[in-house]
């Protein structure tokens, strides 16, 4: 764990005790069993708002506490351990980040306080196809005077069914595949011509597919200059990746803890299975991978807070290394639990399924290995 | 803790001193190839070593009375950084063999005042080289199985037996050895740690040639070799706790890249571009190799970040920590993989043994690759580190390493 300030330690402790008492994995399971379309339980969400977590990234002038990304990461990690579901990440982390980095003063003033008090859920709509590829954005934004008409579709939009607003990545110029020509618009969910459908994913969270059929927005809804959002989009996505990294650390370290516990209690051949060297060494390798991954995950959040010029590299490193660890860890969680690990009644499967979704979001490991190499110039 | 502002003042002091004392003639000196000894080096080299030693900066955290400078870990780091900044190096650790990294810290902990005064200054100044007689033909990972005997004859211990893989034994002045002093006691309870001079009739060394072609270590034979009784380190028959501590220091010293690594070394990806070429979009022409290089660079970065994180968590106090096993294994993996990738990218040029068809860099890469295989064997093999992690860190019951 990084060296924390007093305030960070307080919030981390609060997150640990709240998540284990009020949002344990059993609550997530209950919600999944009910088939909740929104993908989260309302009381869980309003408790988070009350605790002030929705304001961690937001400056005080907009009603937040401005505590930074590492602090938010600590909360996301603890929520990850319990698979606690809510729009906290999509709205108060990614949505707020997009507004802070790209929003106009008016947009910030109108949305940030409402993100903080939970009355708005603002989420980013970026992916369109099977792979995360922002440059391949095809959703078209045709400018007509001070109007822009949006046509196209988005997929895997986080909390898309409960969102009140979407921050939409659209193409104002150029062809799909070109990094240039992208714009960001903030679009209310009830805009004429915008429709959404839930996507049922293996992690039982709330995602939506969006369809834009000539949705009209104005210059006032444009975030930043038209056609020039590529760079800021990268910055937004990097912060999102580091946040996913933090949650992945939580999911992975919980999977490790469950596995270690089983190694110490399950007996076969007259001994606890953790006494077999094959498994002891596997646990040692997993532990080492976890420690190395933690360093990468925390460093990314710290680089963001420090506004360093190597944020992009650090965030790709985090997404790739924490993702690699979680991938292996979630597989071993099942394997080391033997037949029990395969049952729906046991929690291992919930962690495995969440793991794969987190790995996929905002670029999987291979995406970020490639990106890291490009950032290093090869 | 030293305040940051004090550290800044100290930094400029060090920087000035290094710049005016480091002989520019030594700038291209390659500390990596062979560990230098006092006899084989130039006058400038000797003067630089002595200048560092006079400040106590070869071993900055050691007490002043024993040749150190009594500085804090953050201050020592400043010295390391400032020395590296101008392409200089601290020759003292490699010149003492196992002295600075392992023997010295253990004497500081277990030694009597008399032993500290006798042995530490020679290490701190870089003038006395030490080797370690631990491993034996039948006692490797299972070190406690050692059988070299030491018998008390009144004023000295008389040693008989054989050690193996003793690094630098042929050029060392002193040896720290674990020996059996109570053959009737349980395996770990009858061992003592003694220190003895190498230049005596009862000690004989024979060089062992390695796969890399180098012969940096020996078989060491003790035939009635003498270790003075005042050179027993720690209590009689308590050598196991001394050597366990010593091995922790060894592991700790192997958690980061060797000090000799040059800072201006060409990055792996640039070297790869030179050998492999690039595609139109600037990516490496061999996409499979490219991804494996990225992974290695990421692993190297993850390792460095972990070293920093553990240091930050310890609030600047660098202690021998349980995490050393994790770091030793990750350092080993990064270095061995890097050596493999280097050879692979060099292709036909990466298989040379000697001769002018191959560049010096290419030939060295081959030898380094071979030598690097030892990293996962010495200092507690990779498997032994995993045993330590699973038993000591994770608390899993052990079924191996009994006795
Ligand atoms: C889909 C499915 C279908 C099945 N169908 C049948 C069936 O039709 N009939 C039937 O009788 N059974 C069936 N089984 C049970 C199956 O045979 C057991 O799950 C299997 O024998 C493992 O036992 P376990 O689950 O108790 O795990 P455990 O034996 O408790 O193993 C837990 C973990 O410890 C490891 N381990 C155990 N011992 C050692 C050791 N000595 N050294 C190293 N590692 C060790 C295992 O590899 C595993 O990773 C089925 C299981 C599944 C998942
Ligand atoms: C370059 C180099 C320098 C060295 N310098 C010195 C020196 O200066 N002084 C000195 O005393 N020694 C030195 N050594 C020796 C070194 O400490 C030993 O090689 C090491 O302890 C391993 O012992 P071994 O070679 O006998 O291998 P073994 O112990 O026989 O091991 C053989 C294989 O079995 C594995 N193994 C052994 N036990 C277990 C277990 N319980 N669980 C799982 N796997 C196991 C090992 O990991 C290894 O892969 C050096 C070695 C090298 C290569």
């Amino acid at each position: 764990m990084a060296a924390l300030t007093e305030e960070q330690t307080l919030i981390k402790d609060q997150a640990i005790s709240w998540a284990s008492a009020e949002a344990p994995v059993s609550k997530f399971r209950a919600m999944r069993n009910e088939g909740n379309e929104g993908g989260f339980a309302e009381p869980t969400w309003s408790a988070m708002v009350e605790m002030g977590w929705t304001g961690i990234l937001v400056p005080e002038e907009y009603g937040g506490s401005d505590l930074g990304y590492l602090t938010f990461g600590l909360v996301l990690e603890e929520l990850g351990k319990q698979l606690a579901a809510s729009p906290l990440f999509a709205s108060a982390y990614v949505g707020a980040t997009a507004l802070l980095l790209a929003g106009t003063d008016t947009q910030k003033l109108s949305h940030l306080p409402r993100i903080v008090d939970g009355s708005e859920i603002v989420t980013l709509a970026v992916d369109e196809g099977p792979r995360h590829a922002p440059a391949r954005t095809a959703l078209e934004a045709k400018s007509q005077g001070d109007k822009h008409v949006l046509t196209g579709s988005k997929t895997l939009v986080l909390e898309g069914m409960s969102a009140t607003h979407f921050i939409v990545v659209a193409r104002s110029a150029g062809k799909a595949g070109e990094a240039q020509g992208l714009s960001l618009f903030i679009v209310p969910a009830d805009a004429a011509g915008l429709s959404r459908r839930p996507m049922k994913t293996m992690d039982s969270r709330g995602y939506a597919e969006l369809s834009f059929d000539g949705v009209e927005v104005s210059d006032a809804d444009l975030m930043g200059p038209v056609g020039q959002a590529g760079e800021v989009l990268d910055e937004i996505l990097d912060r999102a990746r580091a946040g996913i990294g933090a949650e992945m650390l939580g999911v992975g370290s919980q999977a490790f803890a469950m596995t270690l516990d089983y190694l110490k209690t399950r007996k076969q051949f007259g001994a606890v299975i953790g006494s077999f060297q094959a498994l002891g060494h596997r646990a040692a390798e997993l532990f080492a991978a976890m420690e190395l991954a933690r360093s990468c995950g925390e460093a990314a959040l710290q680089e963001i807070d420090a506004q360093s010029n190597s944020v992009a590299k650090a965030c790709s490193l985090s997404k790739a290394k924490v993702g690699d660890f979680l991938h292996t860890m979630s597989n071993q969680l099942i394997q080391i639990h033997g037949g029990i690990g395969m049952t729906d009644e046991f929690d291992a499967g919930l962690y495995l399924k969440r793991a794969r979704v987190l790995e996929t979001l905002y670029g999987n490991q291979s995406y970020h290995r490639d990106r890291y190499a490009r950032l290093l110039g090869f | 803790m030293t305040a940051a502002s004090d550290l800044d003042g100290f930094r400029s002091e060090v920087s000035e001193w290094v710049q005016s004392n480091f002989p520019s003639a030594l700038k291209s000196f390659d500390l990596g190839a062979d560990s230098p000894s006092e006899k084989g080096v130039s006058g400038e080299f000797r003067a630089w070593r002595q200048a560092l030693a006079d400040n106590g900066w070869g071993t900055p955290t050691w007490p002043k009375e024993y040749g150190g400078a009594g500085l804090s870990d953050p201050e020592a780091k400043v010295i390391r950084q400032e020395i590296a900044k101008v392409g200089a190096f601290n020759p003292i650790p490699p010149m003492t063999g196992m002295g600075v990294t392992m023997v010295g810290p253990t004497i500081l902990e277990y030694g009597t005042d008399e032993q500290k005064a006798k042995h530490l200054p020679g290490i701190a100044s870089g003038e006395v080289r030490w080797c370690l007689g631990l491993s034996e033909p039948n006692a490797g990972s299972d070190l406690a199985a050692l059988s070299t005997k030491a018998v008390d004859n009144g004023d000295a211990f008389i040693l008989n037996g054989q050690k193996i893989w003793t690094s630098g034994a042929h050029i060392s002045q002193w040896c720290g050895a674990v020996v059996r002093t109570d053959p009737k006691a349980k395996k770990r309870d009858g061992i003592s740690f003694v220190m003895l001079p190498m230049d005596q009739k009862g000690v004989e060394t024979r060089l062992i040639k390695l796969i890399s072609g180098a012969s940096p270590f020996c078989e060491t034979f003790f035939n009635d070799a003498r270790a003075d009784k005042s050179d027993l380190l720690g209590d009689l028959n308590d050598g196991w706790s001394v050597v366990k501590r010593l091995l922790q220091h060894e592991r700790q010293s192997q958690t980061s890249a060797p000090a000799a690594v040059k800072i201006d070394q060409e990055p792996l990806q640039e070297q790869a571009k030179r050998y492999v070429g690039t595609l139109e979009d600037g990516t490496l022409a061999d996409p499979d190799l490219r991804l494996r290089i990225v992974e290695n660079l990421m692993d190297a970065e993850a390792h460095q970040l972990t070293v920093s994180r553990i240091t930050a968590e310890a609030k600047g106090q660098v202690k021998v920590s349980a995490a050393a096993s994790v770091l030793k294994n990750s350092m080993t993996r990064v270095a061995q993989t890097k050596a493999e990738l280097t050879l692979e990218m060099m292709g036909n040029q990466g298989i040379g043994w000697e001769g002018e068809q191959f560049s010096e860099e290419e030939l060295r890469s081959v030898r380094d690759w071979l030598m690097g295989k030892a990293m996962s064997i010495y200092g507690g093999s990779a498997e032994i580190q995993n045993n330590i992690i699973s038993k000591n860190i994770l608390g899993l019951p052990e079924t191996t390493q009994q006795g």
Side-chain angles (χ1 to χ4, degrees):
Chain A
M1 184 43 62
L4 300 181
T5 64
E6 218 166 287
E7 192 140 39
Q8 288 168 333
T9 309
L10 277 174
I11 292 196
K12 183 182 161 73
D13 291 346
Q14 181 193 35
I16 293 175
S17 56
W18 182 83
S20 50
E22 304 298 329
V25 62
S26 56
K27 278 216 169 153
F28 170 73
R29 173 183 291 278
M31 184 207 72
R32 180 202 69 161
N33 292 348
E34 284 164 20
N36 183 334
E37 191 172 89
F40 64 92
E42 197 54 54
T44 308
W45 173 224
S46 38
M48 291 181 185
V49 174
E50 242 161 70
M51 286 184 290
W53 291 351
T54 43
I56 292 175
L57 295 183
V58 177
E60 285 168 25
E61 50 183 313
Y62 302 112
S65 52
D66 204 7
L67 291 171
Y69 285 86
L70 179 61
T71 307
F72 210 126
L74 298 172
V75 172
L76 290 174
E77 177 175 348
E78 295 310 323
L79 297 177
K81 286 182 187 166
Q82 303 293 343
L83 302 180
S86 80
L88 184 73
F89 174 71
S91 183
Y93 187 104
V94 185
T97 295
L99 278 157
L100 285 167
L101 293 181
T104 62
D105 286 347
T106 320
Q107 288 163 345
K108 287 185 202 167
L109 208 55
S110 105
H111 296 290
L112 287 173
R114 297 198 180 120
I115 288 179
V116 176
D117 70 19
S119 57
E120 282 185 4
I121 293 174
V122 180
T123 183
L124 183 70
V126 53
D127 285 356
E128 297 180 6
R131 311 280 292 181
H132 174 69
R136 274 193 241 150
T137 295
L139 188 142
E140 182 192 32
K142 218 178 217 148
S143 301
Q144 302 173 344
D146 65 347
K147 294 248 175 293
H148 307 267
V149 182
L150 307 183
T151 307
S153 68
K154 290 289 174 186
T155 188
L156 205 68
V157 177
L158 275 64
E159 314 302 340
M161 294 312 290
S162 46
T164 57
H165 294 78
F166 298 107
I167 292 173
V168 181
V169 183
R171 181 165 293 285
S172 296
K175 293 196 299 283
E178 291 175 11
Q180 312 299 318
L182 299 180
S183 305
L184 289 176
F185 295 96
I186 183 156
V187 184
D190 58 6
L194 171 55
S195 58
R196 53 182 161 183
R197 281 198 309 163
M199 294 175 76
K200 286 203 194 288
T201 53
M202 62 183 172
D203 66 345
S204 310
R205 301 285 176 109
Y207 301 92
E209 184 182 64
L210 309 185
S211 166
F212 293 78
D213 188 9
V215 176
E216 259 190 39
V217 291
S218 74
D219 270 349
D221 306 312
L222 182 63
M223 298 170 76
V226 74
Q228 289 175 39
E231 225 166 272
V232 75
L233 176 62
D234 251 0
E235 290 174 27
I236 296 165
L237 288 170
D238 271 330
R239 281 151 185 79
R241 287 156 184 154
I244 298 279
E247 182 174 347
M248 291 199 297
L249 275 179
V251 177
S253 51
Q254 185 64 19
F256 182 82
M258 290 161 74
T259 304
L260 186 59
D261 187 56
Y262 200 66
L263 286 168
K264 289 179 179 176
T265 48
R266 169 69 172 169
K267 281 192 175 164
Q268 286 290 279
F269 303 100
V272 293
I273 57 173
S275 67
F276 304 132
Q277 196 181 45
L279 297 187
H281 278 196
R282 206 174 300 161
E285 296 281 347
L286 290 168
F287 176 76
M290 178 167 71
E291 287 299 303
L292 292 158
R294 171 169 299 287
S295 311
C296 300
E298 292 182 356
L301 296 161
Q302 287 170 320
E303 298 274 334
I304 296 171
D305 283 334
Q307 305 188 330
S308 92
N309 54 15
S310 47
V311 165
K313 249 182 75 191
C315 292
S316 275
L317 181 72
S318 165
K319 192 77 199 346
K321 290 308 295 181
V322 185
D324 276 346
F325 158 63
L326 182 59
H327 190 92
T328 310
M329 185 64 242
S330 54
N331 282 336
Q332 286 305 321
L333 170 66
I334 306 285
Q335 173 62 22
I336 293 178
H337 279 84
I340 295 286
M342 288 296 295
T343 62
D344 182 69
E345 198 184 330
F346 186 65
D347 290 335
L350 301 178
Y351 285 84
L352 174 69
K353 292 175 213 171
R354 181 63 179 160
R356 287 303 174 276
V357 174
L358 291 169
E359 287 173 54
T360 307
L361 290 177
Y362 305 123
N364 61 13
Q365 290 90 300
S366 77
Y367 178 93
H368 287 288
R369 276 190 284 269
D370 176 71
R371 181 165 181 261
Y372 193 85
R374 286 178 197 277
L375 289 167
L376 284 179
F378 75 113
Chain B
M1 236 354 242
T2 324
S5 53
D6 292 354
L7 221 49
D8 286 343
F10 181 65
R11 185 181 296 280
S12 47
E13 241 175 76
V14 174
S15 158
E16 232 169 82
W17 185 90
V18 172
Q19 284 179 33
S20 51
N21 282 274
F22 181 63
S24 53
L26 293 181
K27 260 210 171 119
S28 57
F29 189 87
D30 187 359
L31 201 55
D34 286 296
S35 58
S37 60
E38 190 74 5
K39 271 182 272 168
V41 297
S42 66
E44 274 142 338
F45 190 100
R46 224 166 301 155
W48 168 235
R49 179 196 59 66
Q50 193 57 46
L52 276 174
D54 289 344
N55 278 3
W57 286 1
T59 52
T61 59
W62 292 14
K64 277 191 177 153
E65 52 182 322
Y66 303 129
L71 296 176
S72 66
D73 287 321
E75 287 166 326
K77 189 172 171 191
V78 166
I79 296 181
R80 268 199 311 277
Q81 289 170 336
E82 292 307 314
I83 285 181
K85 218 178 261 171
V86 297
F89 51 87
N90 176 4
I92 291 175
M95 292 181 77
T96 65
M98 310 289 176
V100 169
T101 49
M102 295 164 71
V103 177
T106 312
I107 293 180
L108 272 169
E109 262 176 78
Y110 284 89
T112 61
D113 288 346
E114 191 187 278
Q115 289 171 334
K116 291 180 194 169
K118 177 176 174 187
H119 294 297
L120 293 177
I123 298 175
S125 69
E127 287 162 302
V128 179
R129 182 188 287 271
W130 282 72
C131 63
L132 281 173
L134 312 178
S135 306
E136 298 180 5
N138 291 314
S141 299
D142 186 10
L143 181 58
L146 63 93
S147 62
T148 293
K149 274 204 220 31
V151 178
D152 183 352
N153 84 339
D155 58 355
F157 292 104
I158 305 301
L159 276 58
N160 280 287
Q162 185 199 338
K163 296 290 175 182
I164 193 167
W165 321 125
T166 329
S167 297
H170 57 305
I171 49 171
S172 292
Q173 288 82 47
W174 278 81
C175 175
V178 276
V179 292
R180 192 158 297 286
T181 38
D182 183 355
K184 288 194 286 283
K186 275 205 306 203
K187 221 168 145 188
R188 290 182 182 178
D189 298 339
I191 292 172
S192 300
F193 192 104
V194 296
M195 303 179 281
L196 67 158
M198 292 296 282
D199 184 16
Q200 58 167 303
K201 214 168 74 226
V203 178
E204 194 192 322
T205 62
R206 198 177 298 158
L207 281 173
I208 304 170
K209 191 168 170 181
L210 295 184
I211 52 176
S212 64
S215 304
F217 61 11
C218 304
E219 291 177 285
T220 306
F221 301 91
F222 297 133
N223 289 309
D224 290 337
R226 274 176 62 99
D228 211 272
K229 277 178 85 174
S230 66
D231 281 323
L232 171 71
L233 186 62
D235 291 337
L236 185 68
N237 296 325
D238 191 33
W240 188 249
S241 51
V242 180
V243 77
K244 251 178 36 188
R245 194 68 184 150
L246 181 117
L247 292 173
Q248 282 178 345
H249 285 296
E250 175 177 42
R251 217 175 301 139
Q252 194 74 16
S253 72
Q254 289 163 359
T255 55
S256 51
V261 170
K262 286 246 185 80
I263 42 168
D264 57 355
Q265 212 176 32
E266 187 181 25
L268 196 58
Q269 70 272 21
E270 296 305 320
Q271 212 179 353
K273 280 199 225 166
R274 204 153 43 76
Y275 279 97
V276 180
T278 51
L279 301 177
E280 260 168 39
D281 66 352
T283 62
L284 201 67
D286 179 343
D288 178 307
L289 177 65
R290 170 175 181 261
L291 285 175
R292 287 179 292 120
I293 290 176
V294 190
E295 283 209 278
N296 182 249
L297 294 171
M298 284 185 158
D299 287 344
E301 180 70 10
H303 176 84
Q304 276 317 314
L305 288 171
T306 306
V307 172
S308 315
R309 178 166 69 86
I310 286 170
T311 313
E313 283 165 17
K315 303 236 188 307
Q317 236 42 54
V318 189
K319 290 245 167 62
V320 175
S321 71
S325 294
V326 170
L327 293 176
K328 196 223 165 198
N329 274 0
S330 88
M331 183 66 230
T332 299
R333 195 167 302 175
V334 168
Q336 290 181 341
T337 308
K338 182 178 177 184
E340 292 286 358
L341 292 168
T342 304
L343 245 58
E344 185 183 335
M345 75 171 70
M346 287 177 173
N348 294 343
Q349 292 302 112
I351 54 176
W353 191 247
E354 49 197 20
E356 54 204 34
Q357 294 90 338
F358 304 98
S359 72
E360 220 173 279
E361 180 195 31
E362 287 159 355
L363 294 174
R364 195 176 52 232
S365 295
V366 170
R367 307 295 174 121
D368 287 352
W369 162 73
L370 287 163
M371 199 58 210
K373 299 296 172 202
M375 290 178 74
S376 48
I377 298 170
Y378 60 59
S381 70
E383 290 78 14
I384 296 300
Q385 303 303 339
N386 276 345
N387 284 347
I388 292 171
I389 295 169
S390 86
K391 185 180 138 213
N392 297 352
I393 306 184
L394 303 180
L396 293 172
E398 64 171 339
T399 52
T400 51
Q401 279 191 297
Q402 265 146 12

